[in-house]
Amino acid sequence: MYASNFVEGVDFSLYFILAISVFFLVGITAVMIYFLFRYRKKRNPVATNIEGSWTLEIIWTVVPTILVLMMFWYGWVGYRPMLTAPDDAMEIQAVGQMWKWTFNYDNGKSSDTLVIPIDKPIKLNLVSKDVLHSLYIPAFRLKQDVVPGKDFSMWFIGQKLGRYDILCAEYCGQLHSYMLSSVTVVENDEFDKWLAEEQDNSNEHPGLTLMKKNACFSCHTTDGSRLVGPSFKGVVGRSETIIVDDKEETITVDADFIKHKLQNPLSSNVKGFQSGLMPKLPLSDQEISHIIDYVSTIK
Amino acid sequence: MTVDTLPYTTFFKAKKGIMSWLFTLDHKRVALLYLYSIMTFFLVGASLGILMRLELFHPGKDIVEPHTYNQIFTLHGVIMIFLFIIPSIPAVFGNFFLPLLLGTDDVAFPKLNLFSFWLYVIGALFALGTLVLGDGPADTGWTFYAPYSVRTGTNVTMSVVAAFVLGFSSILTGLNFIVTIHRLRTPGMGFNQMPLFAWSLYATSWIQLLATPVIGITLLMIVAERVFGVGLFDPSIGGDPVLYQHMFWIYSHPAVYIMALPAMGIVSEIIPTFAQRTIFGYKAIAYSSMAIAFIGYFVWGHHMFTSGMSGPAAYIFSILTFLVAIPTSIKVFNWLATLYKGSINIETPLLFALAFIFNFLIGGLTGLVNGALAADIHLHDTYFVVGHFHYVMFGGTGFAFFGALHYWFPKIWGKMYNKKVANTAFATLLIGFNILYFPMIILGIMGMPRRYYDYLPEFTFWNQISTVGSWITVSSLIVLIVNLFVAANKGKKAPDNPWDGITLEWQTKSPPPLENFDKMPKIPEGGPYNYPNAKSSS
């Protein structure tokens, strides 16, 4: 059994072409080497001018034409079913942002990894919060670009129990190669149980919940180490050199600064870090104050 | 072969001083200015490639941070595409040999030719300027895909301006060649008596002239968006990122044929000379160049099968992509048939030409896989694609470039290189090249995406093989270049026609005099490759 319903079509199209390719590569190379020895100057001191042959030209135009049309056809046959998801597919929203995948289920459950029931068509509605990404599941032979401002989707059926890698295939900046997740295919009852599990955020600081949701920790650590942006450790009260309109100034980070920075992310940039990457997040004033509250506790 | 012993002044010695080079109107000197600049950038680009392979030796960090790695592969791409491979064969060998092959004394517009070179230099300065100005070189990939290219703080604007200026250099070279081919053929040489390298340059020049302006306007739109905030490609200010991809590939796919067609022209010159017989299927090869150039305009969508393309669009782009394979395969079969009943001299240039066929077959056949919709959904944006286009660009065009260099070296410098060293460098380069890039094809099928700083542990083995291949490749390149460098200075004198060629460039002295020909060259009777010593077939 194949891992997804598309593996067979994709692999057939791939290996059909590869087989023909190997045949021609080996054949042409062998003939080339044979001619090189058979007609080398020592063995064949006088060449023959052969201007061409329309018969041969027609043969080696028609044969490749038939072959490439077959290649096209198997490519199309394997691809066509990817275009339309069945009506009864279970819809899940897949959100890509620098550099994190989030999967939102209809019942409000949200997860960093995808969990799906076996043998059920799944439709992923793809949303990008910032730049291009591409949701790629090599084991399923499937990928689809996630483009901001476009409602793209992809669908598939997981046919084999197990856990498979999800990668980002469209370059999306500094930590592109770390934008990893996974899809786990489970039995139906196990899936229902997993889906019904309450996400227990009640003990969690609401600021932390918001920051996880907005992928703050993709770029900012809490242990003082350097990632894409400055660490949150001890950030409140810290003095930083920032660059505003190409001019350096030194400021002390406080609640007002964080609020201003969240609302106008590109207004300034901490010296020594790449500019232009901090996204504008749709946060209410109250959410911002939760975040500031939480950040103040990271010491 | 008679070596003319009468003294004459070569184009090297016709004028003296650095200014006589920098402001030369001689197509041969312009060609050499390009050669030295292009080789310099090739070595810079190759060094960046070596750094990437070192970083990828182990998963995790080896030598640089992710941000630096992203800048390295972007600069590698920009340098190799815009500063090496697009100008490589046309600007160096086209400039030097097109007038010689046509039996004339220069290109149609010598001043425009010099201007193209200076645009190339200015473009190159912009590209290198990103190293020291602004927030460092772009980290977008050479494709500058929006909206990331609109948002990143790195110096995208300057990189894009570099590509813009280099585009004009390319347009003007194309224009110059088209007019040269139409107007300056020696009396008696019709289109169908032109050498095939001239045909391939003709096809290429039309692409340069017609497709390059599209990338020009696209890149200006990126600048407008970054500098003035005009919403064109970034959806957060009202733009459409997929529009960018269309505009980018409307140029950049035909540009692939700007890179490949001249290489095919080189192979069509080398094979008959070393087989000492006429080319098989002259018209088929000549017209297939035009067919490739024409169909090549309509296949750009195959770069975007995963970008949310509708079924009918995908269908049409896929089928058109497969159609390009047909004229390409016609060329391969005709080259092969040209070896049949030849009287073959196995020399370095021929080895490069035959290695071109082998590598280009792998590049072309893996291209078919990418043209197939189902397979492409899996392999798009993986190392399969990286392997595929390096086979076409380096294994194809790169090998043809070095083949041309060894073929015409005695004509340009009047000296002969050490053939044993050249053959050794060729053999190790071919082996190293395949060890470097074949693993990428395997990694792609395994599912490793491209532009990855770090990778999953299961990809380690093939990445390490590939890195080892990069060491063999670069060592061979060094031997190859040093051998030629030594020969240019201290090599033995070469006869005017060391390979017994019959195209017109072999009728003049080596190195050629300033005006190319002392006396009117004679067009071979019965076609440009109709070797008088060979038996006729009937």
Side-chain angles (χ1 to χ4, degrees), chain A residues 29-261:
Chain A
T29 309
V31 171
M32 195 159 79
I33 292 170
Y34 170 73
F35 282 172
L36 211 54
F37 285 93
R38 173 65 188 78
Y39 299 110
R40 68 188 188 274
K41 188 149 220 158
K42 264 190 204 153
R43 264 191 86 174
N44 194 37
V46 181
T48 309
N49 278 336
I50 304 169
E51 302 233 324
S53 149
W54 285 110
T55 319
L56 279 175
E57 298 291 348
I58 289 167
I59 292 174
W60 61 50
T61 306
V62 172
V63 173
T65 305
I66 294 169
L67 288 176
V68 296
L69 288 178
M70 285 169 72
M71 294 174 187
F72 159 75
W73 179 250
Y74 289 121
W76 171 246
V77 166
Y79 170 76
R80 193 174 41 191
M82 297 175 187
L83 286 169
T84 25
D87 293 338
D88 63 340
M90 180 170 107
E91 299 200 23
I92 301 167
Q93 187 190 48
V95 181
Q97 62 189 309
M98 290 170 169
W99 292 282
K100 181 176 186 282
W101 296 105
T102 310
F103 301 95
N104 300 320
Y105 292 77
D106 269 354
N107 70 345
K109 179 154 180 155
S110 167
S111 164
D112 290 349
T113 59
L114 182 62
V115 178
I116 57 166
I118 191 165
D119 293 333
K120 282 254 172 70
I122 307 294
K123 184 179 176 197
L124 297 183
N125 295 316
L126 305 169
V127 176
S128 167
K129 285 194 175 175
D130 37 49
V131 297
L132 303 177
H133 302 282
S134 188
L135 198 148
Y136 179 31
I137 313 172
F140 289 3
R141 308 288 190 271
L142 199 59
K143 75 167 65 72
Q144 170 63 49
D145 287 7
V146 183
V147 180
K150 303 260 178 196
D151 298 323
F152 291 157
S153 64
M154 66 199 292
W155 82 278
F156 50 82
I157 301 170
Q159 300 183 148
K160 214 158 100 179
L161 296 177
R163 186 188 157 281
Y164 308 97
D165 293 315
I166 292 179
L167 312 171
C168 178
E170 183 63 69
Y171 176 70
C172 57
Q174 206 174 117
L175 301 184
H176 167 54
S177 63
Y178 295 99
M179 190 167 161
L180 308 170
S181 179
S182 67
V183 47
T184 310
V185 182
V186 296
E187 296 286 3
N188 275 306
D189 47 352
E190 202 181 327
F191 174 75
D192 292 338
K193 219 173 87 189
W194 177 84
L195 190 63
E197 269 171 29
E198 288 285 317
Q199 268 173 314
D200 190 13
N201 289 335
S202 52
N203 291 331
E204 195 172 271
H205 191 289
L208 176 60
T209 312
L210 278 164
M211 288 173 78
K212 280 187 186 165
K213 194 176 141 209
N214 285 296
C216 300
F217 303 112
S218 295
C219 302
H220 305 274
T221 66
T222 54
D223 62 1
S225 63
R226 182 192 167 94
L227 210 56
V228 178
S231 176
F232 287 136
K233 188 178 182 187
V235 68
V236 175
R238 189 162 69 200
S239 94
E240 288 277 16
T241 306
I242 60 168
I243 298 170
V244 187
D245 296 336
D246 293 333
K247 275 187 280 251
E248 286 185 17
E249 49 185 273
T250 305
I251 53 116
T252 305
V253 178
D254 55 15
D256 285 346
F257 175 78
I258 296 177
K259 184 170 182 181
H260 185 254
K261 177 78 183 169

Side-chain angles (χ1 to χ4, degrees), chain A residues 32 35-37 39-41, chain B residues 266-276 335 338-339 343-358 399-400 402-404 406-407 417 423 426 499:
Chain A
M32 195 159 79
F35 282 172
L36 211 54
F37 285 93
Y39 299 110
R40 68 188 188 274
K41 188 149 220 158
Chain B
I266 296 288
V267 173
S268 308
E269 293 301 318
I270 290 177
I271 289 181
T273 300
F274 291 91
Q276 289 288 297
W335 290 326
T338 304
L339 294 173
S343 177
I344 302 170
N345 289 311
I346 302 175
E347 299 273 9
T348 322
L350 181 69
L351 294 174
F352 272 105
L354 300 182
F356 166 94
I357 296 179
F358 177 79
F399 272 65
F402 291 120
H406 285 88
Y407 180 52
Y417 44 86
N423 288 342
F426 160 78
W499 317 123

Side-chain angles (χ1 to χ4, degrees), chain B residues 409-431:
Chain B
F409 186 91
K411 179 53 62 188
I412 300 175
W413 282 278
K415 305 269 180 71
M416 186 53 86
Y417 44 86
N418 182 327
K419 290 181 182 176
K420 270 192 190 148
V421 177
N423 288 342
T424 312
F426 160 78
T428 51
L429 180 63
L430 181 61
I431 294 166

